[in-house]
Amino acid sequence: MTKYYARDAVLPGMANLHSHAFQRAMAGLTEVRAAAQDDFWSWRQLMYQFMERLTPEQSQAIATQLYIEMLKHGYTAVAEFHYVHDPAEMLDRHVHAAHDAGIAITVLPALYRWAGFGKKPLEPRQRRFTSSVRSILDALARIRGKQSADLRIGVAPHSLRAVDADSLKELIRGLEADMPIHIHASEQTREVEESTFALGKRPVEWLLENCPVDGRWCLVHATHVQASEVAALAASGAVAGLCPTTEANLGDGIFPLLTYRGASGRWGIGGDSHVSRDPAEELRTLEYVQRLVMRRRNLNISSTSAAVGTTLWLEAAAGGARALGRGMGAIAPGKRADLVVLDGEQADLAARSGDAIANALIFSGASGLVRDTMVAGQWVVRERHHVLEEKAAARYARAVGELLS
Ligand code: NGQ
Ligand code: ZN
């Protein structure tokens, strides 16, 4: 039985809007200088190498471990941006992992056709990503029957690097209304340059002018955007999918969050490569990067709250819910009961109430404040424990041992 303390505080469950689950097993392994100038692109080669021998069993073991870790830190739903299609059962393995862990999942099979702008053929290491509009729509049809409160489907044209304009448009035409559409955009300056050369437009600019970008869309990263793109993206109703710890880890650049929020832009957070599984750490990183750039404090506040932690948590939860196509992201009538209970007995919460609670979670550094997590009215973490965690950790250790042997 869960014990209840009078001082415990409750926050709405957080959506993790961008996950490549298998990358969890690489966290910490790529922090060694391997090229004269390590960057996103050299990291990507290591990621491809890591993925080369990945089996369905290992994928499931890694995803199960990851999803349990997410639940223990306050994520209650995840969008899995899935592009390792060979073998085809990889997708189902993520659905099973989410089901076993008890996290709600929006699966986004990714269309991946080319190695770069101008229909550059896939490299040998990218062969497992091979997909077509047909194969993606077939994959959706196959798992559609399995849809339930905890499984939603959407689609992920990987990026304008990996998907040509005609295929992108054909894919969108094949979708049902309301289905989430996620795409990587403008993460790297090289990508912006290549897009400008190949398409005559920057990636976000091109998407806004050529696709029906609206509230169904999540533009992941959207890091390198000019003022006109910031305004148009905010006005479109799309969600900017920010992945603060991964973007910092990969040296991507800095998204102009303050201008974008000033234009009422929607946003949410993603764990992406999972160098962090903690939404508080994502939000802390997001605010701190802005402080370092601006040399000011307490930047992200709203008209309803002058508290940064509260503002960030509530906006990210609402934006993430939108990106996942789910009625979660707030504690309110009609919303799904996704709740995160913080442990009022912890020193970090001593004598805290109101806004000081989310501020303590995000800015006083402790990661052990989440005690219980509820997804859709079911407790999945109680007293910091998930019923599967020992088994999942053992399977995870075995999978990683095989992968690194
Ligand atoms: C991904 N991750 O799909 O895993 C990508 C790397 C790419 C990030 N962009 C591959 N952070 O973008 O080509
Ligand atoms: Zn990604």
Side-chain angles (χ1 to χ4, degrees):
M1 277 292 285
T2 306
K3 285 177 285 175
Y4 293 93
Y5 303 98
R7 286 173 286 164
D8 296 338
V10 182
L11 292 171
M14 183 62 72
N16 189 327
L17 57 64
H18 192 66
S19 166
H20 307 292
F22 74 89
Q23 292 174 17
R24 160 68 184 96
M26 291 173 62
L29 288 178
T30 60
E31 313 304 318
V32 178
R33 175 87 68 85
Q37 252 202 327
D38 263 339
D39 59 11
F40 172 89
W41 306 102
S42 60
W43 168 84
R44 195 174 75 154
Q45 286 304 323
L46 295 177
M47 184 268 279
Y48 287 171
Q49 199 181 322
F50 184 81
M51 180 214 62
E52 218 148 41
R53 294 187 303 140
L54 188 69
T55 67
E57 292 73 22
Q58 291 160 352
S59 294
Q60 185 171 348
I62 296 166
T64 307
Q65 169 72 14
L66 168 69
Y67 296 158
I68 291 172
E69 291 170 339
M70 284 185 191
L71 288 164
K72 291 180 77 172
H73 287 94
Y75 286 118
T76 56
V78 61
E80 186 63 38
F81 191 118
H82 176 77
Y83 58 90
V84 186
H85 297 304
D86 178 33
E89 69 174 297
M90 288 288 212
L91 189 65
D92 305 71
R93 295 293 186 143
H94 289 84
V95 173
H96 286 304
H99 181 264
D100 290 348
I103 198 166
I105 188 168
T106 299
V107 283
L108 308 164
L111 177 60
Y112 202 117
R113 299 204 62 185
W114 312 107
F117 289 98
K119 302 194 179 181
K120 204 169 148 227
L122 292 179
E123 292 163 16
R125 275 185 172 165
Q126 298 173 317
R127 266 199 309 261
R128 298 184 75 179
F129 314 161
T130 307
S131 45
S132 63
V133 172
R134 190 69 264 151
S135 72
I136 297 302
L137 294 178
D138 286 350
L140 292 179
R142 198 168 47 75
I143 50 176
R144 183 172 285 117
K146 297 182 187 161
Q147 275 206 84
S148 67
D150 289 327
L151 170 65
R152 292 279 168 85
I153 53 177
V155 79
H158 182 277
S159 55
L160 292 178
R161 290 180 268 122
V163 178
D164 59 275
D166 290 339
S167 304
L168 176 57
K169 288 173 185 172
E170 188 189 339
L171 177 68
I172 295 163
R173 275 198 304 274
L175 301 179
E176 290 160 21
D178 271 2
M179 203 177 258
I181 303 167
H182 290 217
I183 184 166
H184 293 112
S186 279
E187 181 181 13
Q188 285 283 316
T189 49
R190 185 171 115 190
E191 167 186 358
V192 177
E193 285 157 20
E194 289 175 355
S195 176
T196 307
F197 182 76
L199 302 173
K201 300 277 175 188
R202 304 162 61 84
V204 172
E205 186 183 24
W206 189 91
L207 285 168
L208 290 166
E209 288 179 16
N210 291 278
C211 294
V213 176
D214 60 14
R216 286 187 300 168
W217 287 67
C218 177
L219 271 60
V220 182
H221 308 302
T223 313
H224 300 286
V225 277
Q226 292 178 337
S228 56
E229 294 175 289
V230 172
L233 181 60
S236 74
V239 177
L242 309 177
C243 307
T245 63
T246 295
E247 289 160 13
N249 184 276
L250 297 178
D252 286 341
I254 301 170
F255 176 76
L257 182 63
L258 294 173
T259 331
Y260 180 70
R261 286 188 62 255
S264 305
R266 287 167 157 173
W267 63 280
I269 50 169
D272 193 351
S273 69
H274 306 300
V275 285
S276 168
R277 277 78 64 191
D278 179 355
E281 188 177 4
E282 299 298 345
L283 296 172
R284 184 187 315 131
T285 304
L286 193 62
E287 168 75 14
Y288 279 177
V289 166
Q290 300 291 326
R291 290 188 191 187
L292 289 164
V293 171
M294 306 289 289
R295 290 179 272 163
R296 300 239 319 265
R297 302 192 67 249
N298 298 332
L299 292 163
N300 288 293
I301 60 160
S302 70
S303 55
T304 52
S305 175
V308 179
T310 309
T311 301
L312 291 175
W313 189 278
L314 296 181
E315 283 187 17
R322 172 62 261 170
L324 268 58
R326 289 184 176 280
M328 55 177 288
I331 301 175
K335 295 288 184 195
R336 207 165 79 137
D338 280 17
L339 305 177
V340 182
V341 183
L342 306 183
D343 184 352
E345 298 285 291
Q346 294 292 301
D348 279 307
L349 288 182
R352 300 293 201 281
S353 65
D355 281 333
I357 290 167
N359 279 350
L361 175 67
I362 294 168
F363 295 107
S364 86
S367 66
L369 281 186
V370 174
R371 198 193 58 210
D372 312 298
T373 306
M374 173 183 276
V375 179
Q378 308 280 332
W379 291 114
V380 289
V381 175
R382 294 190 198 211
E383 302 285 343
R384 297 189 175 75
H385 186 257
H386 185 288
V387 285
L388 267 187
E389 71 177 70
E390 288 81 10
K391 240 187 217 160
R395 286 192 192 129
Y396 174 81
R398 204 177 321 130
V400 177
E402 290 164 12
L403 275 164
L404 298 182
S405 69

PDB file of all heavy atoms in Angstrom, residues 337-369:
ATOM      1  N   ALA A 337      -5.812  10.741 -15.967  1.00  0.00           N
ATOM      2  CA  ALA A 337      -5.167  10.802 -14.644  1.00  0.00           C
ATOM      3  C   ALA A 337      -3.727  10.316 -14.725  1.00  0.00           C
ATOM      4  O   ALA A 337      -3.398   9.178 -14.415  1.00  0.00           O
ATOM      5  CB  ALA A 337      -5.962   9.977 -13.633  1.00  0.00           C
ATOM      6  N   ASP A 338      -2.849  11.187 -15.198  1.00  0.00           N
ATOM      7  CA  ASP A 338      -1.405  10.945 -15.213  1.00  0.00           C
ATOM      8  C   ASP A 338      -0.815  11.852 -14.143  1.00  0.00           C
ATOM      9  O   ASP A 338      -0.766  13.081 -14.324  1.00  0.00           O
ATOM     10  CB  ASP A 338      -0.801  11.325 -16.573  1.00  0.00           C
ATOM     11  CG  ASP A 338      -1.015  10.259 -17.639  1.00  0.00           C
ATOM     12  OD1 ASP A 338      -1.881   9.377 -17.448  1.00  0.00           O
ATOM     13  OD2 ASP A 338      -0.312  10.318 -18.667  1.00  0.00           O
ATOM     14  N   LEU A 339      -0.381  11.269 -13.051  1.00  0.00           N
ATOM     15  CA  LEU A 339       0.037  12.080 -11.903  1.00  0.00           C
ATOM     16  C   LEU A 339       1.425  11.692 -11.425  1.00  0.00           C
ATOM     17  O   LEU A 339       1.807  10.524 -11.466  1.00  0.00           O
ATOM     18  CB  LEU A 339      -0.948  11.891 -10.740  1.00  0.00           C
ATOM     19  CG  LEU A 339      -2.430  12.160 -11.034  1.00  0.00           C
ATOM     20  CD1 LEU A 339      -3.262  11.860  -9.790  1.00  0.00           C
ATOM     21  CD2 LEU A 339      -2.638  13.603 -11.478  1.00  0.00           C
ATOM     22  N   VAL A 340       2.155  12.691 -10.960  1.00  0.00           N
ATOM     23  CA  VAL A 340       3.478  12.474 -10.387  1.00  0.00           C
ATOM     24  C   VAL A 340       3.431  12.979  -8.951  1.00  0.00           C
ATOM     25  O   VAL A 340       3.145  14.155  -8.725  1.00  0.00           O
ATOM     26  CB  VAL A 340       4.540  13.260 -11.192  1.00  0.00           C
ATOM     27  CG1 VAL A 340       5.929  13.000 -10.623  1.00  0.00           C
ATOM     28  CG2 VAL A 340       4.490  12.899 -12.669  1.00  0.00           C
ATOM     29  N   VAL A 341       3.687  12.095  -8.021  1.00  0.00           N
ATOM     30  CA  VAL A 341       3.633  12.479  -6.604  1.00  0.00           C
ATOM     31  C   VAL A 341       5.057  12.675  -6.086  1.00  0.00           C
ATOM     32  O   VAL A 341       5.891  11.770  -6.187  1.00  0.00           O
ATOM     33  CB  VAL A 341       2.919  11.397  -5.761  1.00  0.00           C
ATOM     34  CG1 VAL A 341       2.809  11.847  -4.305  1.00  0.00           C
ATOM     35  CG2 VAL A 341       1.544  11.092  -6.336  1.00  0.00           C
ATOM     36  N   LEU A 342       5.327  13.842  -5.558  1.00  0.00           N
ATOM     37  CA  LEU A 342       6.651  14.125  -4.986  1.00  0.00           C
ATOM     38  C   LEU A 342       6.629  13.808  -3.494  1.00  0.00           C
ATOM     39  O   LEU A 342       5.606  13.961  -2.832  1.00  0.00           O
ATOM     40  CB  LEU A 342       7.014  15.603  -5.214  1.00  0.00           C
ATOM     41  CG  LEU A 342       6.935  16.089  -6.664  1.00  0.00           C
ATOM     42  CD1 LEU A 342       7.381  17.549  -6.743  1.00  0.00           C
ATOM     43  CD2 LEU A 342       7.774  15.222  -7.582  1.00  0.00           C
ATOM     44  N   ASP A 343       7.768  13.395  -2.996  1.00  0.00           N
ATOM     45  CA  ASP A 343       7.870  12.937  -1.618  1.00  0.00           C
ATOM     46  C   ASP A 343       8.062  14.116  -0.663  1.00  0.00           C
ATOM     47  O   ASP A 343       9.163  14.662  -0.547  1.00  0.00           O
ATOM     48  CB  ASP A 343       9.056  11.969  -1.532  1.00  0.00           C
ATOM     49  CG  ASP A 343       9.196  11.356  -0.152  1.00  0.00           C
ATOM     50  OD1 ASP A 343       8.469  11.787   0.771  1.00  0.00           O
ATOM     51  OD2 ASP A 343      10.033  10.456  -0.004  1.00  0.00           O
ATOM     52  N   GLY A 344       6.999  14.464   0.030  1.00  0.00           N
ATOM     53  CA  GLY A 344       7.031  15.605   0.936  1.00  0.00           C
ATOM     54  C   GLY A 344       7.949  15.434   2.128  1.00  0.00           C
ATOM     55  O   GLY A 344       8.243  16.394   2.846  1.00  0.00           O
ATOM     56  N   GLU A 345       8.422  14.199   2.332  1.00  0.00           N
ATOM     57  CA  GLU A 345       9.341  13.953   3.449  1.00  0.00           C
ATOM     58  C   GLU A 345      10.780  14.357   3.113  1.00  0.00           C
ATOM     59  O   GLU A 345      11.639  14.388   3.986  1.00  0.00           O
ATOM     60  CB  GLU A 345       9.337  12.459   3.814  1.00  0.00           C
ATOM     61  CG  GLU A 345       7.999  11.943   4.289  1.00  0.00           C
ATOM     62  CD  GLU A 345       7.704  12.396   5.718  1.00  0.00           C
ATOM     63  OE1 GLU A 345       8.384  11.909   6.633  1.00  0.00           O
ATOM     64  OE2 GLU A 345       6.801  13.233   5.892  1.00  0.00           O
ATOM     65  N   GLN A 346      11.049  14.594   1.831  1.00  0.00           N
ATOM     66  CA  GLN A 346      12.420  14.910   1.420  1.00  0.00           C
ATOM     67  C   GLN A 346      12.829  16.322   1.828  1.00  0.00           C
ATOM     68  O   GLN A 346      12.029  17.252   1.780  1.00  0.00           O
ATOM     69  CB  GLN A 346      12.554  14.788  -0.103  1.00  0.00           C
ATOM     70  CG  GLN A 346      12.387  13.374  -0.618  1.00  0.00           C
ATOM     71  CD  GLN A 346      13.525  12.471  -0.193  1.00  0.00           C
ATOM     72  OE1 GLN A 346      14.679  12.731  -0.511  1.00  0.00           O
ATOM     73  NE2 GLN A 346      13.195  11.422   0.539  1.00  0.00           N
ATOM     74  N   ALA A 347      14.105  16.468   2.162  1.00  0.00           N
ATOM     75  CA  ALA A 347      14.620  17.759   2.615  1.00  0.00           C
ATOM     76  C   ALA A 347      14.360  18.867   1.593  1.00  0.00           C
ATOM     77  O   ALA A 347      14.052  20.008   1.957  1.00  0.00           O
ATOM     78  CB  ALA A 347      16.126  17.649   2.880  1.00  0.00           C
ATOM     79  N   ASP A 348      14.459  18.523   0.299  1.00  0.00           N
ATOM     80  CA  ASP A 348      14.268  19.543  -0.736  1.00  0.00           C
ATOM     81  C   ASP A 348      12.880  20.171  -0.717  1.00  0.00           C
ATOM     82  O   ASP A 348      12.687  21.257  -1.256  1.00  0.00           O
ATOM     83  CB  ASP A 348      14.511  18.942  -2.121  1.00  0.00           C
ATOM     84  CG  ASP A 348      15.989  18.861  -2.439  1.00  0.00           C
ATOM     85  OD1 ASP A 348      16.666  19.895  -2.327  1.00  0.00           O
ATOM     86  OD2 ASP A 348      16.463  17.760  -2.781  1.00  0.00           O
ATOM     87  N   LEU A 349      11.919  19.456  -0.154  1.00  0.00           N
ATOM     88  CA  LEU A 349      10.544  19.995  -0.149  1.00  0.00           C
ATOM     89  C   LEU A 349      10.147  20.542   1.218  1.00  0.00           C
ATOM     90  O   LEU A 349       9.005  20.974   1.400  1.00  0.00           O
ATOM     91  CB  LEU A 349       9.554  18.914  -0.590  1.00  0.00           C
ATOM     92  CG  LEU A 349       9.607  18.557  -2.085  1.00  0.00           C
ATOM     93  CD1 LEU A 349       8.553  17.502  -2.404  1.00  0.00           C
ATOM     94  CD2 LEU A 349       9.405  19.783  -2.972  1.00  0.00           C
ATOM     95  N   ALA A 350      11.089  20.567   2.160  1.00  0.00           N
ATOM     96  CA  ALA A 350      10.758  21.029   3.508  1.00  0.00           C
ATOM     97  C   ALA A 350      10.162  22.433   3.454  1.00  0.00           C
ATOM     98  O   ALA A 350      10.752  23.340   2.867  1.00  0.00           O
ATOM     99  CB  ALA A 350      12.008  21.018   4.387  1.00  0.00           C
ATOM    100  N   ALA A 351       8.992  22.579   4.034  1.00  0.00           N
ATOM    101  CA  ALA A 351       8.308  23.876   4.149  1.00  0.00           C
ATOM    102  C   ALA A 351       8.033  24.532   2.796  1.00  0.00           C
ATOM    103  O   ALA A 351       7.901  25.743   2.701  1.00  0.00           O
ATOM    104  CB  ALA A 351       9.112  24.824   5.049  1.00  0.00           C
ATOM    105  N   ARG A 352       7.948  23.710   1.730  1.00  0.00           N
ATOM    106  CA  ARG A 352       7.646  24.276   0.409  1.00  0.00           C
ATOM    107  C   ARG A 352       6.169  24.099   0.094  1.00  0.00           C
ATOM    108  O   ARG A 352       5.583  23.066   0.396  1.00  0.00           O
ATOM    109  CB  ARG A 352       8.444  23.563  -0.691  1.00  0.00           C
ATOM    110  CG  ARG A 352       9.946  23.646  -0.551  1.00  0.00           C
ATOM    111  CD  ARG A 352      10.423  25.081  -0.756  1.00  0.00           C
ATOM    112  NE  ARG A 352      11.832  25.130  -1.120  1.00  0.00           N
ATOM    113  CZ  ARG A 352      12.830  25.012  -0.266  1.00  0.00           C
ATOM    114  NH1 ARG A 352      12.601  24.854   1.012  1.00  0.00           N
ATOM    115  NH2 ARG A 352      14.084  25.071  -0.679  1.00  0.00           N
ATOM    116  N   SER A 353       5.606  25.084  -0.567  1.00  0.00           N
ATOM    117  CA  SER A 353       4.237  24.934  -1.060  1.00  0.00           C
ATOM    118  C   SER A 353       4.110  25.747  -2.342  1.00  0.00           C
ATOM    119  O   SER A 353       5.003  26.527  -2.692  1.00  0.00           O
ATOM    120  CB  SER A 353       3.221  25.413  -0.018  1.00  0.00           C
ATOM    121  OG  SER A 353       3.389  26.806   0.182  1.00  0.00           O
ATOM    122  N   GLY A 354       3.011  25.570  -3.037  1.00  0.00           N
ATOM    123  CA  GLY A 354       2.740  26.343  -4.249  1.00  0.00           C
ATOM    124  C   GLY A 354       3.864  26.240  -5.264  1.00  0.00           C
ATOM    125  O   GLY A 354       4.399  25.163  -5.527  1.00  0.00           O
ATOM    126  N   ASP A 355       4.227  27.392  -5.820  1.00  0.00           N
ATOM    127  CA  ASP A 355       5.256  27.431  -6.863  1.00  0.00           C
ATOM    128  C   ASP A 355       6.614  26.905  -6.412  1.00  0.00           C
ATOM    129  O   ASP A 355       7.437  26.483  -7.236  1.00  0.00           O
ATOM    130  CB  ASP A 355       5.444  28.875  -7.352  1.00  0.00           C
ATOM    131  CG  ASP A 355       4.353  29.292  -8.319  1.00  0.00           C
ATOM    132  OD1 ASP A 355       3.789  28.406  -9.000  1.00  0.00           O
ATOM    133  OD2 ASP A 355       4.065  30.501  -8.393  1.00  0.00           O
ATOM    134  N   ALA A 356       6.860  26.953  -5.105  1.00  0.00           N
ATOM    135  CA  ALA A 356       8.177  26.518  -4.608  1.00  0.00           C
ATOM    136  C   ALA A 356       8.387  25.023  -4.826  1.00  0.00           C
ATOM    137  O   ALA A 356       9.518  24.540  -4.778  1.00  0.00           O
ATOM    138  CB  ALA A 356       8.317  26.865  -3.131  1.00  0.00           C
ATOM    139  N   ILE A 357       7.304  24.297  -5.113  1.00  0.00           N
ATOM    140  CA  ILE A 357       7.430  22.840  -5.274  1.00  0.00           C
ATOM    141  C   ILE A 357       8.080  22.481  -6.611  1.00  0.00           C
ATOM    142  O   ILE A 357       9.110  21.800  -6.650  1.00  0.00           O
ATOM    143  CB  ILE A 357       6.046  22.179  -5.098  1.00  0.00           C
ATOM    144  CG1 ILE A 357       5.642  22.300  -3.622  1.00  0.00           C
ATOM    145  CG2 ILE A 357       6.082  20.726  -5.550  1.00  0.00           C
ATOM    146  CD1 ILE A 357       4.206  21.985  -3.337  1.00  0.00           C
ATOM    147  N   ALA A 358       7.486  22.952  -7.706  1.00  0.00           N
ATOM    148  CA  ALA A 358       8.109  22.647  -9.010  1.00  0.00           C
ATOM    149  C   ALA A 358       9.477  23.307  -9.097  1.00  0.00           C
ATOM    150  O   ALA A 358      10.405  22.763  -9.711  1.00  0.00           O
ATOM    151  CB  ALA A 358       7.206  23.106 -10.154  1.00  0.00           C
ATOM    152  N   ASN A 359       9.630  24.454  -8.481  1.00  0.00           N
ATOM    153  CA  ASN A 359      10.948  25.106  -8.481  1.00  0.00           C
ATOM    154  C   ASN A 359      11.988  24.244  -7.759  1.00  0.00           C
ATOM    155  O   ASN A 359      13.136  24.162  -8.183  1.00  0.00           O
ATOM    156  CB  ASN A 359      10.865  26.493  -7.843  1.00  0.00           C
ATOM    157  CG  ASN A 359      10.329  27.541  -8.824  1.00  0.00           C
ATOM    158  OD1 ASN A 359      10.202  27.266 -10.016  1.00  0.00           O
ATOM    159  ND2 ASN A 359      10.009  28.719  -8.322  1.00  0.00           N
ATOM    160  N   ALA A 360      11.571  23.608  -6.661  1.00  0.00           N
ATOM    161  CA  ALA A 360      12.497  22.727  -5.941  1.00  0.00           C
ATOM    162  C   ALA A 360      12.845  21.521  -6.804  1.00  0.00           C
ATOM    163  O   ALA A 360      14.017  21.122  -6.910  1.00  0.00           O
ATOM    164  CB  ALA A 360      11.876  22.271  -4.618  1.00  0.00           C
ATOM    165  N   LEU A 361      11.851  20.950  -7.458  1.00  0.00           N
ATOM    166  CA  LEU A 361      12.096  19.767  -8.292  1.00  0.00           C
ATOM    167  C   LEU A 361      13.116  20.087  -9.383  1.00  0.00           C
ATOM    168  O   LEU A 361      14.028  19.314  -9.655  1.00  0.00           O
ATOM    169  CB  LEU A 361      10.778  19.296  -8.927  1.00  0.00           C
ATOM    170  CG  LEU A 361      10.891  18.136  -9.922  1.00  0.00           C
ATOM    171  CD1 LEU A 361      11.326  16.862  -9.213  1.00  0.00           C
ATOM    172  CD2 LEU A 361       9.571  17.908 -10.653  1.00  0.00           C
ATOM    173  N   ILE A 362      12.943  21.236 -10.016  1.00  0.00           N
ATOM    174  CA  ILE A 362      13.786  21.548 -11.177  1.00  0.00           C
ATOM    175  C   ILE A 362      15.105  22.214 -10.790  1.00  0.00           C
ATOM    176  O   ILE A 362      16.124  21.961 -11.423  1.00  0.00           O
ATOM    177  CB  ILE A 362      12.975  22.414 -12.179  1.00  0.00           C
ATOM    178  CG1 ILE A 362      11.821  21.562 -12.730  1.00  0.00           C
ATOM    179  CG2 ILE A 362      13.856  22.912 -13.326  1.00  0.00           C
ATOM    180  CD1 ILE A 362      10.786  22.335 -13.503  1.00  0.00           C
ATOM    181  N   PHE A 363      15.101  23.011  -9.760  1.00  0.00           N
ATOM    182  CA  PHE A 363      16.309  23.816  -9.492  1.00  0.00           C
ATOM    183  C   PHE A 363      17.064  23.471  -8.221  1.00  0.00           C
ATOM    184  O   PHE A 363      18.083  24.095  -7.939  1.00  0.00           O
ATOM    185  CB  PHE A 363      15.956  25.303  -9.508  1.00  0.00           C
ATOM    186  CG  PHE A 363      15.510  25.767 -10.866  1.00  0.00           C
ATOM    187  CD1 PHE A 363      14.181  26.051 -11.128  1.00  0.00           C
ATOM    188  CD2 PHE A 363      16.427  25.867 -11.911  1.00  0.00           C
ATOM    189  CE1 PHE A 363      13.759  26.453 -12.393  1.00  0.00           C
ATOM    190  CE2 PHE A 363      16.024  26.257 -13.178  1.00  0.00           C
ATOM    191  CZ  PHE A 363      14.693  26.556 -13.423  1.00  0.00           C
ATOM    192  N   SER A 364      16.583  22.498  -7.422  1.00  0.00           N
ATOM    193  CA  SER A 364      17.440  22.201  -6.278  1.00  0.00           C
ATOM    194  C   SER A 364      18.197  20.899  -6.468  1.00  0.00           C
ATOM    195  O   SER A 364      18.841  20.394  -5.561  1.00  0.00           O
ATOM    196  CB  SER A 364      16.695  22.297  -4.955  1.00  0.00           C
ATOM    197  OG  SER A 364      16.054  21.106  -4.656  1.00  0.00           O
ATOM    198  N   GLY A 365      18.112  20.389  -7.688  1.00  0.00           N
ATOM    199  CA  GLY A 365      19.117  19.402  -8.087  1.00  0.00           C
ATOM    200  C   GLY A 365      18.888  17.945  -7.731  1.00  0.00           C
ATOM    201  O   GLY A 365      19.464  17.074  -8.353  1.00  0.00           O
ATOM    202  N   ALA A 366      18.041  17.631  -6.758  1.00  0.00           N
ATOM    203  CA  ALA A 366      17.878  16.229  -6.382  1.00  0.00           C
ATOM    204  C   ALA A 366      17.027  15.510  -7.415  1.00  0.00           C
ATOM    205  O   ALA A 366      16.059  16.058  -7.914  1.00  0.00           O
ATOM    206  CB  ALA A 366      17.211  16.130  -5.016  1.00  0.00           C
ATOM    207  N   SER A 367      17.400  14.266  -7.730  1.00  0.00           N
ATOM    208  CA  SER A 367      16.603  13.562  -8.729  1.00  0.00           C
ATOM    209  C   SER A 367      15.682  12.536  -8.083  1.00  0.00           C
ATOM    210  O   SER A 367      14.936  11.864  -8.756  1.00  0.00           O
ATOM    211  CB  SER A 367      17.507  12.896  -9.763  1.00  0.00           C
ATOM    212  OG  SER A 367      18.250  11.882  -9.130  1.00  0.00           O
ATOM    213  N   GLY A 368      15.710  12.434  -6.776  1.00  0.00           N
ATOM    214  CA  GLY A 368      14.919  11.394  -6.113  1.00  0.00           C
ATOM    215  C   GLY A 368      13.599  11.882  -5.518  1.00  0.00           C
ATOM    216  O   GLY A 368      13.043  11.236  -4.646  1.00  0.00           O
ATOM    217  N   LEU A 369      13.105  12.998  -5.985  1.00  0.00           N
ATOM    218  CA  LEU A 369      11.885  13.549  -5.369  1.00  0.00           C
ATOM    219  C   LEU A 369      10.613  12.835  -5.792  1.00  0.00           C
ATOM    220  O   LEU A 369       9.621  12.854  -5.081  1.00  0.00           O
ATOM    221  CB  LEU A 369      11.754  15.041  -5.707  1.00  0.00           C
ATOM    222  CG  LEU A 369      12.618  16.016  -4.904  1.00  0.00           C
ATOM    223  CD1 LEU A 369      12.257  17.444  -5.260  1.00  0.00           C
ATOM    224  CD2 LEU A 369      12.440  15.790  -3.408  1.00  0.00           C
TER     225      LEU A 369
END
